[in-house]
Amino acid sequence: MATCLVTGGAGFLGSHLCDELLGRGHRVICVDNLETGSLRNIAHIRRPEFTHLNLDITAPYFVDEPVDFVFHLASPASPIDYLRLPLHTLKVGSYGTHHTLGLAKLHRARFLTASTSEVYGDPQVHPQPESYWGHVNPIGPRGVYDEAKRYAEALTMAYHRQQGVDTAIVRIFNTYGPRMRPHDGRAIPTFLRQALQNRPITVFGDGSQTRSFCFVSDLIRGIIALSESGYHQPVNIGNPDEYTLLQLAQAVIEVTNSSSEIVYEALPTDDPQVRQPDTTLAQQILGWSPEVTLLDGLRRTIDEAGIDTLVGNGLR
Ligand code: NAD
């Protein structure tokens, strides 16, 4: 049994990671100040191998027991959150990553940081391989997230090269599934909420911009495979099947059997036009590729989350 520390463990992805690590027989210490996460995501976990520490990682923090793996997922992730919390987002990416890397160094633990496809910005290369350095606007409103993640990657490589910490970087592409918040502003929970209420589905721009959507179980499998590898360079994990936002809206209407119409709204600033991972490296070094199709993943999200939760009944 290994001891795994998961920052952001009460968030959408972090809570699924905690579930999977516990399912594999590990001890899990979840560090989360509930800034964008929720106790609801971990309320079902009632086992002695699980501990939640309500700590803000932008301040130094310590764990008084041996730790083997550190999964660093804490950070506002949805545009609605990081636009509301710009300074916090920069602090989590900088101070929070410093403190968490320092903890991994102290415990001689393997450290994995959750980076993002946003490090590629509005990409000029398509699909995006890990070797592409990106096209990010540092001073636009989204810069707080994109640059925090780029800084966290630089810091991770510096701790690896100079301090000898065993590190890994996963570049996560859009991931969806149960426990996404219905009002977090991202396309899938928004479209599902609107379709399940037969309300108009709001597509930004003309809906021709593309995204690739990975179901959460595929992503978690990829993260764990990377943590168990000895690999230190960034690895893309995402589903390479690419859809326009309009196609996504149509898929959501199909699986929900909704009578919603599609309406169009202004495109947000610096919204990327295309987004598709090149997953060749993940296949080569981890033997990983996604298994869940978009239609199956949408159906599983509805079944596992339940309609009440997806439309936001009783939730913020
Ligand atoms: P989330 O907002 O659901 O989870 C983030 C968690 O971090 C929350 O539980 C929040 O309370 C916690 N947190 C934030 N600031 C903290 C602090 N100072 N101290 C302690 N805890 C803090 O987001 P998510 O979608 O689960 O994303 C998890 C990670 O994956 C993030 O690092 C995000 O950037 C990355 N990521 C996610 C996606 C995606 O599609 N969901 C895509 C790319 C990258």
Side-chain angles (χ1 to χ4, degrees):
M1 178 175 84
T3 297
C4 306
L5 186 144
V6 181
T7 74
F12 161 49
L13 298 181
S15 62
H16 284 281
L17 179 60
C18 291
D19 283 340
E20 183 62 28
L21 292 169
L22 288 164
R24 291 177 183 225
H26 300 308
R27 161 146 174 72
V28 174
I29 304 168
C30 158
V31 173
D32 198 307
N33 69 348
L34 308 177
E35 181 72 59
T36 59
S38 170
L39 286 178
R40 271 192 308 273
N41 291 336
I42 50 173
H44 62 282
I45 309 177
R46 294 167 197 279
R47 325 169 45 147
E49 304 81 32
F50 181 76
T51 303
H52 170 226
L53 303 176
N54 191 333
L55 296 174
D56 180 348
I57 63 160
T58 63
Y61 68 103
F62 301 94
V63 170
D64 197 14
E65 64 178 287
V67 173
D68 304 295
F69 289 91
V70 174
F71 295 88
H72 178 40
L73 274 68
S75 168
S78 116
I80 268 187
D81 291 327
Y82 62 72
L83 295 176
R84 177 176 61 87
L85 301 163
L87 290 176
H88 180 80
T89 303
L90 285 163
K91 283 184 193 164
V92 178
S94 52
Y95 299 122
T97 306
H98 261 297
H99 299 144
T100 309
L101 271 159
L103 190 142
K105 182 183 167 196
L106 198 69
H107 288 271
R108 298 179 195 277
R110 176 147 166 93
F111 170 92
L112 178 145
T113 194
S115 189
T116 169
S117 56
E118 303 291 346
V119 299
Y120 300 119
D122 192 1
Q124 317 289 294
V125 171
H126 188 66
Q128 294 90 58
E130 291 82 351
S131 54
Y132 172 56
W133 291 349
H135 183 71
V136 168
N137 174 4
I139 55 168
R142 301 171 72 110
V144 294
Y145 182 67
D146 305 359
E147 297 294 8
K149 290 292 185 179
R150 289 171 70 93
Y151 178 84
E153 287 199 8
L155 195 61
T156 300
M157 291 311 294
Y159 265 82
H160 172 61
R161 293 195 181 105
Q162 191 193 317
Q163 307 280 317
V165 178
D166 180 9
T167 61
I169 299 172
V170 57
R171 290 189 180 149
I172 301 171
F173 283 66
N174 290 26
T175 300
Y176 68 100
R179 299 187 202 150
M180 294 192 87
R181 286 171 294 146
H183 292 278
D184 88 352
R186 289 185 268 198
I188 288 188
T190 305
F191 289 1
L192 280 173
R193 173 170 53 78
Q194 293 167 331
L196 289 166
Q197 295 175 310
N198 293 311
R199 294 201 175 139
I201 295 190
T202 48
V203 168
F204 293 144
D206 62 4
S208 63
Q209 68 275 33
T210 68
R211 296 290 184 273
S212 310
F213 302 101
C214 185
F215 189 66
V216 63
S217 61
D218 280 334
L219 176 89
I220 298 299
R221 192 166 44 80
I223 286 183
I224 292 181
L226 180 58
S227 75
E228 290 171 346
S229 76
Y231 201 72
H232 302 298
Q233 299 290 322
V235 179
N236 289 339
I237 298 285
N239 192 319
D241 292 345
E242 189 182 19
Y243 295 87
T244 66
L245 267 285
L246 204 51
Q247 287 171 325
L248 173 68
Q250 285 154 352
V252 167
I253 289 173
E254 182 186 328
V255 297
T256 53
N257 205 13
S258 170
S259 60
S260 293
E261 55 169 341
I262 295 173
V263 297
Y264 299 89
E265 289 192 347
L267 207 56
T269 312
D270 295 334
D271 195 46
Q273 263 309 302
V274 290
R275 180 55 52 80
Q276 184 191 24
D278 180 336
T279 55
T280 312
L281 189 64
Q283 281 165 28
Q284 282 172 352
I285 62 160
L286 308 175
W288 178 90
S289 52
E291 290 168 357
V292 183
T293 63
L294 179 63
L295 288 181
D296 280 350
L298 289 173
R299 289 192 190 101
R300 280 174 64 173
T301 303
I302 297 167
D303 289 349
E304 290 172 33
I307 291 176
D308 267 3
T309 306
L310 290 170
V311 300
N313 282 349
L315 303 178
R316 67 186 153 119

